[in-house]
Amino acid sequence: MSSDTRVGGPAEGNGTVFAQNGQVDWVAFGQSIWSTSSVTLQRFASAGVQPITFGAGLAIANTFTLDRVGKERMHNAIENLRGFWSFEKLLYFGFGARSFLHVMADAQSGINCIALCSALSEIHNEHAAAWILDDLWKLYGMFGGTVENRIQLYLWNDVGTDPKVSTIGMSNSEDIAKALRGLFRVSQGELAKITVMGSMNCAFIAGFAHWILNLKVYVEDEAGRPIYQDSDPEEVQLVVTYCQQASLSLMQISSTTCLLRNDDAMFMRNRKPEEANLTFRTPWDGCLTRVFGPNFTALTKAATILGGFLGSVASVYQALALGESDVGQFTRATYINFVEPSYGIGYINSVVSIFPELNRLRGLLDEMQLALNVPFREAVRMVERTVLDLEQLCQCDICNHGSTLITCKVALAFSIREMVSTLSCVTRDDQILPAVRRINLVHVRQRANWLMQSKAGGRPLLATALDLGMEGVYGDDADRIKKFDRLSHPMELFSGYGDHDRYLAVGQVHGEPQYCTAAVNHGLCYILDCLRSISSHAENARMVHIVPGHIQMGDKQFGHVYDIPGGSEVPSKEPAPVQADILEGLQLTSITRQARRFDLKIDMLCTETATEQELMVYYRATIPGGPVIRLQPGQISKAALKGTGILTCKHMHCTERPVIPCALVRQGWLVSKACDVRTWVDASNGPKCLIWPQLDDFARCVAIQLHCSGYIVIRKNECIPCCTVSLVHEMPGQGRKDLYHLM
């Protein structure tokens, strides 16, 4: 056989298996000799797809035709897919050149199959898409069960759905399959027109016909009023009628009419009830109006109040991100948004770029900019004042004992604040759109937060409005895992369903936290920046990248990447113990940020787990003449976020002497029980500060890994004496003999 990569097909001399008239000769298909390359078969195995599944998929794909517009749309969708490599090109995120998707795209039948499977999996969950394909194959006379639980094809695209349609429930998979077969026959010219009646799944049928098959579509409501029309009535090829389920039993059924009935069995077949719901997406521009309707329109009438709220939020976030000396009662250790677009003028720019409809509100941008330029204390008062103003304007049941049907204006403002904070730390293609239902769920969560705040003993208003930890507030401590998880909120916005908690930080493996650094959900891959290059810089540790596709190592695909347990395990020998100079008084003021020169060799390695589709990843740091140390990217990036923003400095009015004893590291890596530094710490009560002067980012990551169970604090431009003051004020009461690692 040839070793080149190509789409398989029937061997010459075995007849034509894939008929072009809408019917498949399954007897001939079963008797044919399938010819394909060994490389392609290897990719089948790596993608978890059986060759018979692939061949039958291509057979179904040949029963419908894409015209010029449909082919062009699919070509652009595939060509515009973007991805990137991890450190040292060990992993690829997206659809790489060796991806199974590109094997299929070598032929038009494969492109047709991509179009069908991607459209199904965009609207439905993976299992429902498999059931629909299974029923579709049964309609063409093939024994079912071939694709059950084997759909591994993901391709994000916009199938032109209507976000106003209810997403609760799902139609019978056999009915959907029949409607698809009707569309296929129209595309082949066997039928002139079909009619589809039902509720939520009609949007999928209309979107597939319009965007993929480029058919002429007419959509109407139950009373016959037009909702959408893209051609003259006499040219229509698909008529979609939205109607109540009770009305379907009264409809006259013909050979060209398909009824999409709701099926309670679809709820039973899904592992979770919410997976039986459909996923609709909405363009960013105008999404707040489409999702919240008149309730958002009512909020826009208070544009200056909303602008004051968002501008003062940007000002408070800026104070925390830049380490200003006065941040009131807010705890610095729980603030993690150090990316420039997530605070200050960057946050304001993010507001108007993410939601263009807000930029069109008169006075909102000016009010945000005015609020940004006020002192911190005034910004805090403005947050509180604008929230109370919105509460007075709101007529919901929480704010003024009004209607439960009214969207809370306060919670809606909080939702905008949360979505901007989330998306300002994310890189993605602008064509990746949010799920409508998930935007609603953000509002539901913020509404619940506002309700809890309004009750006696609830969180303070400022903590709720800004989503910041505050001193003395229960549950706002710096160790909350959720605060440092960076994948859940983006995943919530863009993935239409699913329990995201299992992707996040955390299981316990041998007593150690196991942090998730990349995950695939609903066809999108979410990756922390620490997999591109490990870094102790908080702005890098906070970044999340989103691309369509999956995680790929060689020909194999994976769904999750976790830190390998035993991060600081040393297989050869123990790192050299730390040797440090004990510093006294004014010696600290003369310390320069000396760079310890290291010729560290950094590699990335992966280990497959016994669990399907999971990888354990770590960096291997080789110290010349020393040990090999495993670096956990998730753990280190979390420590970098937790330790950044703690320190403040008065600069022109700095403290001359430290307020706690300090020592400067000369050489070595590990503060072991037997080293002099440990003896110094144990000699007297009270905290101590160990200063690590190296500037090399990789070397700092090694030091963080070796001491991540301690108190890591990241220094920027602050002087050492002021750092010691910050440690006492910001991290008090940690213990009688604490050792702070100042890096």
Side-chain angles (χ1 to χ4, degrees):
M1 287 187 182
S2 171
S3 61
D4 65 326
T5 302
R6 61 187 180 86
V7 176
E12 294 182 6
N14 286 283
T16 301
V17 175
F18 301 155
Q20 300 299 316
N21 60 356
Q23 301 297 323
V24 178
D25 186 347
W26 293 112
V27 175
F29 174 79
Q31 295 175 347
S32 64
I33 300 174
W34 190 257
S35 173
T36 189
S37 70
S38 58
V39 174
T40 302
L41 289 174
Q42 180 183 352
R43 296 190 189 180
F44 288 162
S46 299
V49 178
Q50 293 182 355
I52 184 64
T53 306
F54 177 64
L58 295 184
I60 288 291
N62 275 279
T63 63
F64 64 91
T65 301
L66 301 184
D67 71 352
R68 180 187 59 80
V69 175
K71 290 178 180 178
E72 183 177 332
R73 285 171 175 166
M74 288 306 302
H75 173 78
N76 291 337
I78 295 172
E79 287 296 314
N80 291 331
L81 290 173
R82 296 291 181 266
F84 59 88
W85 290 98
S86 71
F87 187 76
E88 291 191 330
K89 296 188 175 182
L90 183 64
L91 303 176
Y92 189 83
F93 305 105
F95 291 106
R98 297 173 63 85
S99 169
F100 182 68
L101 178 139
H102 289 292
V103 174
M104 299 183 65
D106 285 344
Q108 186 58 49
S109 58
I111 293 176
N112 289 9
C113 189
I114 292 172
L116 176 60
C117 293
S118 61
L120 282 170
S121 61
E122 171 63 18
I123 303 299
H124 309 86
N125 71 70
E126 184 177 344
H127 301 280
W131 299 325
I132 294 169
L133 281 180
D134 201 45
D135 286 325
L136 187 61
W137 288 10
K138 291 176 184 177
L139 290 176
Y140 282 101
M142 184 177 184
F143 181 77
T146 307
V147 296
E148 188 85 19
N149 296 323
R150 288 191 172 276
I151 302 302
Q152 300 291 336
L153 311 176
Y154 296 92
L155 174 66
W156 178 91
N157 58 58
D158 173 19
V159 295
T161 55
D162 182 358
K164 297 179 182 178
V165 180
S166 171
T167 64
I168 301 174
M170 186 180 295
S171 296
N172 180 282
S173 58
E174 185 177 353
D175 289 348
I176 299 172
K178 290 178 179 178
L180 285 173
R181 185 175 66 168
L183 293 181
F184 296 170
R185 296 181 68 188
V186 172
S187 73
Q188 294 276 20
E190 296 179 33
L191 296 175
K193 180 173 71 173
I194 67 168
T195 299
V196 177
M197 299 179 176
S199 53
M200 63 286 295
N201 264 111
C202 284
F204 162 69
I205 296 298
F208 184 83
H210 172 75
W211 201 88
I212 302 293
L213 301 179
N214 196 36
L215 301 181
K216 306 300 183 183
V217 178
Y218 177 82
V219 183
E220 62 183 9
D221 62 15
E222 193 167 10
R225 291 184 292 266
I227 298 175
Y228 174 80
Q229 182 176 352
D230 62 0
S231 63
D232 295 332
E234 60 272 12
E235 297 178 350
V236 169
Q237 296 168 291
L238 170 66
V239 176
V240 172
T241 302
Y242 287 109
C243 56
Q244 300 295 324
Q245 290 297 306
S247 304
L248 292 180
S249 59
L250 305 176
M251 298 295 179
Q252 294 288 334
I253 301 177
S254 67
S255 60
T256 58
T257 301
C258 299
L259 305 183
L260 302 184
R261 300 160 294 183
N262 282 356
D263 187 0
D264 293 337
M266 295 294 282
F267 286 92
M268 302 299 295
R269 295 168 73 182
N270 280 281
R271 294 172 297 176
K272 296 177 183 174
E274 70 167 5
E275 292 189 356
N277 295 332
L278 304 178
T279 298
F280 296 110
R281 301 189 183 276
T282 177
W284 286 107
D285 193 2
C287 78
L288 297 174
T289 301
R290 280 187 290 272
V291 174
F292 298 107
N295 296 299
F296 173 72
T297 303
L299 179 63
T300 61
K301 296 178 180 178
T304 55
I305 299 176
L306 179 61
F309 170 71
L310 295 174
S312 54
V313 167
S315 180
V316 173
Y317 287 175
Q318 179 173 263
L320 287 161
L322 299 182
E324 293 184 10
S325 57
D326 181 13
V327 292
Q329 290 185 301
F330 298 112
T331 53
R332 300 176 189 270
T334 55
Y335 184 78
I336 66 172
N337 290 342
F338 296 98
V339 184
E340 285 191 10
S342 64
Y343 62 83
I345 189 63
Y347 186 91
I348 291 175
N349 292 335
S350 295
V351 170
V352 297
S353 62
I354 294 170
F355 299 111
E357 59 195 306
L358 293 179
N359 193 31
R360 293 191 287 269
L361 297 181
R362 179 177 298 180
L364 184 134
L365 180 58
D366 292 339
E367 199 66 29
M368 285 195 294
Q369 292 172 338
L370 288 173
L372 176 63
N373 295 321
V374 302
F376 174 80
R377 294 282 177 175
E378 177 58 29
V380 171
R381 287 192 290 269
M382 185 175 290
V383 170
E384 195 166 18
R385 185 169 63 249
T386 52
V387 170
L388 294 177
D389 287 344
L390 289 173
E391 182 183 30
Q392 291 296 319
L393 293 173
C394 186
Q395 299 299 317
C396 76
D397 58 322
I398 300 176
C399 296
N400 286 296
H401 306 289
S403 171
T404 58
L405 301 178
I406 295 178
T407 299
C408 178
K409 291 184 175 63
V410 177
L412 184 50
F414 291 177
S415 301
I416 295 171
R417 183 262 305 152
E418 179 188 315
M419 288 188 284
V420 173
S421 292
T422 297
L423 295 170
S424 60
C425 300
V426 168
T427 65
R428 72 192 194 286
D429 190 291
D430 290 338
Q431 297 301 313
I432 298 179
L433 305 179
V436 172
R437 187 162 55 89
R438 286 298 168 179
I439 294 178
N440 271 315
L441 288 180
V442 172
H443 176 264
V444 169
R445 181 174 61 251
Q446 292 298 339
R447 190 178 188 277
N449 292 342
W450 180 236
L451 176 62
M452 293 300 296
Q453 183 278 331
S454 65
K455 294 182 178 180
R459 290 185 79 201
L461 183 150
L462 288 173
T464 303
L466 294 162
D467 191 28
L468 294 175
M470 297 187 71
E471 295 175 8
V473 178
Y474 176 77
D476 282 349
D477 58 282
D479 292 324
R480 287 190 304 165
I481 289 174
K482 287 282 187 179
K483 201 68 181 175
F484 295 95
D485 165 53
R486 289 143 279 168
L487 295 180
S488 61
H489 286 308
M491 202 176 291
E492 180 182 62
L493 274 176
F494 295 106
S495 295
Y497 60 89
D499 179 7
H500 307 308
D501 287 343
R502 70 188 185 93
Y503 300 125
L504 311 183
V506 184
Q508 291 285 329
V509 179
H510 305 302
E512 295 188 28
Q514 183 188 20
Y515 291 91
C516 182
T517 51
V520 176
N521 189 280
H522 207 183
L524 293 174
C525 189
Y526 304 80
I527 313 102
L528 295 185
D529 192 75
C530 59
L531 292 183
R532 301 185 74 175
S533 180
I534 194 166
S535 174
S536 62
H537 297 297
E539 56 270 28
N540 296 335
R542 181 64 183 89
M543 287 301 300
V544 178
H545 307 281
I546 304 177
V547 293
H550 45 245
I551 303 161
Q552 190 168 338
M553 183 173 68
D555 287 331
K556 301 189 71 172
Q557 299 174 13
F558 298 88
H560 310 94
V561 176
Y562 290 95
D563 279 355
I564 195 167
S568 56
E569 175 186 336
V570 181
S572 55
K573 58 183 179 179
E574 201 173 74
V578 164
Q579 297 182 25
D581 294 327
I582 309 301
L583 302 176
E584 300 290 343
L586 294 177
Q587 283 183 283
L588 290 172
T589 61
S590 62
I591 292 178
T592 59
R593 302 192 66 178
Q594 307 169 42
R596 294 174 64 192
R597 298 297 177 184
F598 299 103
D599 186 20
L600 292 175
K601 181 182 178 182
I602 304 291
D603 304 299
M604 175 184 268
L605 292 95
C606 296
T607 301
E608 295 185 41
T609 68
T611 305
E612 186 180 1
Q613 291 196 331
E614 286 188 3
L615 277 175
M616 295 290 186
V617 169
Y618 64 97
Y619 288 86
R620 183 177 61 187
T622 305
I623 301 174
V628 175
I629 300 173
R630 289 181 176 182
L631 306 180
Q632 296 171 301
Q635 173 81 338
I636 291 174
S637 62
K638 184 241 182 179
L641 287 174
K642 187 175 179 180
T644 301
I646 303 295
L647 306 174
T648 62
C649 187
K650 298 179 181 179
H651 298 295
M652 298 299 294
H653 305 283
C654 294
T655 304
E656 292 186 353
R657 294 178 179 272
V659 296
I660 58 176
C662 296
L664 178 67
V665 176
R666 287 199 318 271
Q667 60 184 5
W669 290 97
L670 187 63
V671 180
S672 60
K673 294 181 179 180
C675 74
D676 293 339
V677 170
R678 178 52 59 188
T679 304
W680 168 65
V681 172
D682 294 338
S684 61
N685 289 333
K688 310 288 194 305
C689 180
L690 186 62
I691 303 167
W692 296 76
Q694 71 267 13
L695 294 179
D696 182 85
D697 198 18
F698 285 152
R700 186 190 292 186
C701 289
V702 171
I704 290 174
Q705 181 68 68
L706 291 170
H707 303 96
C708 58
S709 59
Y711 305 115
I712 307 294
V713 185
I714 307 296
R715 175 187 170 209
K716 292 184 177 178
N717 299 313
E718 301 84 4
C719 71
I720 300 296
C722 284
C723 288
T724 64
V725 175
S726 299
L727 292 177
V728 172
H729 288 170
E730 297 296 332
M731 305 180 73
Q734 302 282 3
R736 298 178 62 192
K737 296 182 179 180
D738 290 331
L739 178 62
Y740 297 109
H741 298 270
L742 183 61
M743 299 186 181

